[in-house]
Amino acid sequence: GTTLSPGTTPLPGTTPTPVHKKKKKKCLKQAKYCKRLCKALNQRDGCKERCLSRFWYLKAMMHERCHLPDDVCKAKSDGFAETSLLQRVSQGSLAFDEGSEQLVEGAEADPQDWACDKQGFCQRLCEMELGFQGADFAACQEACERRYKRIKRRVFKTYCRRGVCAWTMSAEAEPIKQTRTLAT
């Protein structure tokens, strides 16, 4: 058959082949993201409700991760291996704490570090975004580290590709327009 552009007519004796546009993936509702996340974290009691009430924070984390260059983590791991301890101290990423007489991570740490480090990612997700504390935080952190790749693929990468459909925020957050929000 012959492929036609819109507004053209087929030649006599030919059968036109329809031009199919690639179907755009549908957005996911916030409840679907929370269900996937809670399942991956093996959290049952109140996890989905907690996630939904704090979705504003989770969405911000997902959105931030979507906008990091794909190679930022590779560049960081390559650079870290090549950076000596002395260089890290001079750059401010490590500092000497006179009270404990130990080297500690400096306040100048790169804000993108959480995205490239499993432990940092899971700590931010469980503590800051989901608000877990104590034993609940420890359980969330452990489950997150075990299922790190799955969480990134099933929740974060899905958000980057599909966005979130119209959603509402918790009562303590400021209201926003009810529209589809894409990560791109």
Side-chain angles (χ1 to χ4, degrees), residues 14-181:
T14 63
T15 306
T17 304
V19 177
H20 295 285
K21 291 183 181 178
K22 188 174 182 179
K23 187 175 181 181
K24 195 171 191 175
K25 296 253 183 186
K26 291 173 77 174
C27 57
L28 293 183
K29 293 182 179 178
Q30 64 189 35
K32 186 74 167 179
Y33 285 108
C34 289
K35 181 179 177 182
R36 286 180 176 192
L37 181 61
C38 291
K39 184 176 180 181
L41 291 172
N42 200 26
Q43 297 280 327
R44 291 177 187 84
D45 297 335
C47 178
K48 188 174 176 186
E49 292 78 15
R50 173 185 293 271
C51 177
L52 287 170
S53 71
R54 299 179 62 88
F55 194 77
W56 171 253
Y57 304 108
L58 178 62
K59 181 183 178 293
M61 183 182 180
M62 292 187 298
H63 188 79
E64 188 178 334
R65 179 62 186 102
C66 291
H67 290 285
L68 290 178
D70 291 336
D71 60 349
V72 73
C73 292
K74 179 167 178 14
K76 284 184 177 298
S77 66
D78 291 348
F80 184 79
E82 296 169 6
T83 304
S84 71
L85 188 60
L86 185 57
Q87 285 173 313
R88 291 179 65 209
V89 171
S90 69
Q91 293 167 351
S93 62
L94 281 179
F96 184 74
D97 178 28
E98 291 180 22
S100 66
E101 297 184 358
Q102 295 180 7
L103 286 174
V104 294
E105 289 296 323
E108 301 295 320
D110 189 330
Q112 297 173 348
D113 285 348
W114 68 269
C116 304
D117 172 61
K118 182 184 346 184
Q119 187 176 5
F121 174 91
C122 291
Q123 180 176 353
R124 177 172 172 183
L125 176 65
C126 294
E127 184 178 33
M128 295 173 64
E129 313 314 345
L130 294 176
F132 285 114
Q133 297 176 351
D136 291 334
F137 167 73
C140 178
Q141 174 93 13
E142 181 183 330
C144 177
E145 289 181 16
R146 275 195 324 268
R147 296 175 181 95
Y148 175 69
K149 287 183 180 179
R150 180 182 179 155
I151 291 168
K152 283 183 71 175
R153 184 184 69 247
R154 300 258 307 137
V155 179
F156 283 72
K157 287 186 179 181
T158 299
Y159 174 81
C160 294
R161 284 191 324 272
R162 298 175 71 173
V164 64
C165 301
W167 61 286
T168 58
M169 296 169 32
S170 61
E172 67 269 5
E174 39 182 272
I176 63 163
K177 203 183 270 187
Q178 295 291 309
T179 58
R180 179 177 176 186
T181 305

